[in-house]
């Protein structure tokens, strides 16, 4: 009886969307195509009968955030009245149904505003689930049996690449070696700093921020390229290499700005600086361009995924060898659930997942730990962007260039200062 | 002075979005994934200083229509104060700028709600332009010089497939033979009937509607497949072939419902009925699945495009031989402009464009005439869906199974009963 009562109390009784906007310091967040971003979170906020609350969100860059919030209000209705454990026991099917809503699917399918809304909804469900169990997300995921984990996933349209059986087998194959990988929880997960090299920053500011980041323990840095002035790109790239030193890891990010001929030319010019990767070198839908570029710029590699919206397109990119670093993002894909699906696909292709952090690393700090321990992915590093730190209840704890393992129950998405009358 | 005055009077002075919903007869519009659609138009309505008005729209299927309207209100702002001839003289650049709006681009890019909004905006601009010149769209396009036509297009990210020079050359190469293709204006453009075979229709209704359509002069029919009961698909398909006769053209449309293994199996089973094509056999993002399917089901062909959102993905599908009939839709792509771009790409690949008619054929009846006469595309047929006829000021005139050439100025999008206080 007490169990039954407890279950009834974790029924979702309210779903509200919040349109949260955060202004950034001058120049922060700028890149070749997003020149003056206002980081905005389309928040799904859940309440339960026993007064628990949970938060999920997707990132957008300003006025469109309202559209995602409106889509959340429409798509989240099936959550009302659902008990969280029962919901999550079949979340793959829930995700499939929401993403194939007969009326809303036309707006995607599985991409754009409706898919961003599903990301936010999904992440809120995982937050509530982890809080209900009193554990951080990484532990929640590690505690699941393979069958339970795969029941969280919508593997439709992957029948030719990752069946339910394949997914269970893959997780099971990594089970006995988990213990060897547990020390990462103590050491923490390495970070790399994106915030030194925003497009609008003057050279001196990039140098100063890079030096400061090195002092803090970072040894990997990303620079925005794709400027209309190609010489500026070349100068800044050279400067970053000199400032960071030959032993540092540097990456260049064009944010989709280049057409293929320009990408070919610029990647060739910048390759002598030995970057680890070129990120989003051209249009994210252009599979053929990525394949061609990959063959031309080898051994330099391609990172992509920030704007690849779903598992079907990732399947195509992975299969074609069109990317080398899989920048899945749980705030672009259909949340934590589809992030895990793409992580399984990537593991099968033996490619590393290095998330793009539309969540500022809050959720992904959990997910890379699960990917490492649970799926046997190699340790890479996790992007670090500090600009929204002050707005989280539990901002990621990054020390010595390393993400410390989060211990609070949930997915670390809770925000300060949500509109009080509704929360 | 009078010319100047005239120009000032065709300045866009107001842009309003209307969320128009239309209920359908029971079962109409239903398919494997859209079970109970409410045809909804996200309308862009323009007014000029001299009191002209123009209409463009994108189709959606119900509650999400409001989201597209909200996106229109945000994205259409750059049109205010623009004179229509000056705007259209550089519309390719205008389209590029709107689709790359620094804040809104994140919600796509170039897909989903924001791209549907751009479709609606673009189509309204073309309507205003054609009305200003007092000609129907097909004539407006045929009257343009190759350079003027290409200035309407955003060819970015196509540098490796269709440069500005390529596009101009292609149009010019068809110039001297235009006269041979003009008779289509008198004969009219053949139609095919989609409305006989909606998923929810009982067998007897499909038979009855097919017979009636044959009596009206149609000889090509489409049937919805992808039912959860595969035997129902097989039975209905057999029935349509028997009812329409061996000389009729029939097509099967799965509306993305099948995974690849199912598509393989069903296409093999249905191939004996000699359909012209299988339409949307699986997920519209799954390039690899389309390629594999195309190789397996030959000589039966694949039609796709209804949910392919932009020129970049079309470029990939065309180049890979992943489709045989190019179902571009000017209410899914970025309007008439990107439809023309995809038509040029398809012409270069020597593949026919057979539009999906999210506009119920109103705009596409003009575009297939331009494709035939201006670009030298072969005559195919144009989809016919009659359910919204009574809501248009000038509904497409289909007689004897043939679209009669529209003569009214504009793009044939004007709607009856827009909210009076705003129009």
């Amino acid at each position: 009886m007490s169990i039954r009562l407890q279950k009834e109390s974790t029924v979702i009784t309210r779903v509200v969307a919040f349109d949260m906007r955060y202004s950034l310091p001058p120049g922060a967040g700028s890149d070749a195509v997003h020149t003056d971003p206002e980081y905005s979170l389309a928040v799904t906020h859940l309440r339960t009968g026993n007064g628990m609350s949970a938060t999920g969100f997707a990132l957008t860059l300003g006025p469109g955030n309202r559209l995602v919030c409106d889509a959340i209000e429409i798509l989240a209705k099936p959550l009302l009245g659902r008990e969280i454990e029962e919901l999550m026991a079949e979340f793959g099917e829930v995700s499939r149904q929401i993403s194939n809503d007969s009326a809303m699917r036309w707006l995607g399918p599985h991409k754009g505003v409706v898919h961003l809304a599903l990301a936010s909804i999904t992440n809120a469900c995982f937050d509530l689930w982890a809080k209900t169990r009193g554990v951080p997300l990484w532990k929640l995921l590690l505690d699941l049996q393979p069958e339970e984990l795969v029941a969280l996933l919508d593997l439709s349209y992957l029948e030719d690449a990752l069946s339910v059986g394949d997914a269970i087998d893959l997780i099971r194959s990594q089970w006995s070696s988990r213990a060897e990988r547990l020390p990462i929880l103590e050491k923490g997960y390495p970070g790399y700093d994106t915030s030194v090299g925003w497009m609008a920053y003057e050279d001196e500011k990039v140098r100063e921020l890079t030096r400061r980041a090195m002092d803090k323990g970072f040894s990997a840095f990303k620079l925005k390229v794709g400027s209309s002035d190609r010489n500026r790109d070349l100068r800044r790239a050279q400067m970053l290499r000199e400032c960071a030193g030959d032993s540092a890891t540097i990456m260049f990010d064009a944010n989709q700005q280049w057409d293929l001929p320009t990408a070919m030319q610029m990647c060739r010019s910048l390759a002598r600086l030995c970057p680890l990767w070129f990120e989003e070198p051209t249009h994210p839908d252009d599979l053929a361009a990525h394949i061609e570029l990959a063959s031309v710029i080898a051994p330099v590699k391609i990172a992509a995924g920030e704007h690849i919206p779903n598992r079907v397109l990732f399947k195509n990119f992975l299969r074609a060898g069109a990317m080398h670093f899989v920048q899945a993002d749980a705030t672009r894909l259909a949340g934590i659930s589809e992030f895990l699906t793409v992580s399984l696909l990537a593991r099968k292709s033996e490619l590393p997942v290095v998330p793009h952090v539309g969540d500022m690393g809050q959720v992904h700090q959990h997910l890379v730990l699960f990917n490492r321990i649970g799926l046997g992915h190699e340790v890479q590093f996790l992007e670090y962007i500090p600009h929204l730190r002050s707005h989280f209840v539990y901002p990621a704890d990054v020390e010595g260039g390393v993400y410390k393992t989060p211990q609070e129950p949930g997915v670390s998405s809770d925000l300060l200062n949500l509109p009080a009358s509704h929360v």
Side-chain angles (χ1 to χ4, degrees), chain A residues 69-271:
Chain A
C69 290
D70 290 345
I72 291 168
E73 303 264 9
I74 295 170
L75 290 174
K77 285 175 186 157
L79 302 188
L80 277 172
R82 295 295 306 265
E83 195 281 323
I84 189 65
E85 287 286 350
E86 289 169 12
L87 182 76
M88 301 312 289
E90 56 162 17
F91 194 78
E93 178 58 20
V94 172
S95 178
R96 199 187 65 75
Q97 287 182 11
I98 293 177
S99 74
N100 291 312
D101 177 285
S102 174
M104 297 291 280
R105 190 183 187 281
W106 190 268
L107 304 183
H110 314 142
K111 55 179 73 71
V113 166
V114 287
H115 215 58
L116 293 167
L118 181 53
S120 177
I121 292 167
T122 298
N123 295 343
C125 291
F126 275 85
D127 190 41
L128 181 59
W129 194 27
K131 285 173 175 168
T132 304
R133 292 195 172 188
V135 291
L137 174 65
W138 60 264
K139 181 156 177 15
L140 173 79
L141 296 174
L142 286 174
D143 285 348
L144 297 174
Q145 291 300 305
E147 293 78 4
E148 293 173 310
L149 197 122
V150 175
L152 296 169
L153 313 179
D154 171 9
L155 299 182
S156 60
Y157 298 115
L158 298 184
E159 291 76 5
D160 53 326
L162 185 77
S163 68
V164 169
D166 293 341
I168 291 172
D169 288 349
L170 198 161
I171 298 163
R172 195 169 283 144
S173 74
Q174 299 300 316
W175 207 271
S176 64
S177 54
R178 281 182 165 200
E180 301 161 20
R181 297 187 295 274
L182 288 176
I184 190 77
L185 294 172
E186 297 303 320
K187 289 167 61 180
Y189 203 91
Y192 76 82
D193 196 332
T194 291
S195 67
V196 303
W198 297 120
M199 181 60 95
Y201 284 177
E202 296 297 324
D203 291 10
E204 184 45 42
K205 181 156 187 175
V206 174
R207 271 194 295 263
E208 173 61 23
L209 289 172
T210 304
R211 280 192 292 263
R212 268 198 250 164
M214 292 171 77
D215 289 347
K216 284 185 188 160
F218 285 99
S219 61
F221 312 94
K222 196 154 78 185
L223 184 79
K224 297 296 182 181
V225 293
S227 167
S228 56
D229 174 1
R230 295 186 189 181
N231 287 327
R232 182 173 189 263
D233 282 352
L234 300 174
R235 184 187 76 233
R236 279 159 47 98
Q238 173 80 32
M239 181 186 73
L240 178 64
R241 173 53 81 200
E242 285 171 7
C243 183
D246 288 346
S247 65
T249 301
I250 64 175
M251 296 84 84
F252 301 137
D253 184 358
N255 287 89
Q256 322 164 32
Q257 178 68 10
W258 294 326
D259 55 51
L260 180 58
T262 307
M264 294 278 192
Q265 195 181 344
M266 290 300 290
C267 290
R268 281 200 191 99
S269 296
L270 289 164

Side-chain angles (χ1 to χ4, degrees), chain A residues 352-395:
Chain A
V353 175
V354 187
H356 171 263
V357 297
D359 66 324
M360 307 298 121
Q362 294 292 124
V363 181
H364 289 107
Q365 62 180 332
H366 297 261
L367 293 171
V368 292
L369 292 173
F370 172 75
N371 273 359
R372 171 59 183 156
I373 300 166
L375 301 186
H377 273 287
E378 292 300 312
V379 176
Q380 301 290 326
F381 42 27
L382 181 60
E383 184 170 28
Y384 178 62
I385 303 177
H387 304 307
L388 296 189
R389 286 188 57 78
S390 63
H391 303 289
F392 288 105
V393 176
Y394 297 108

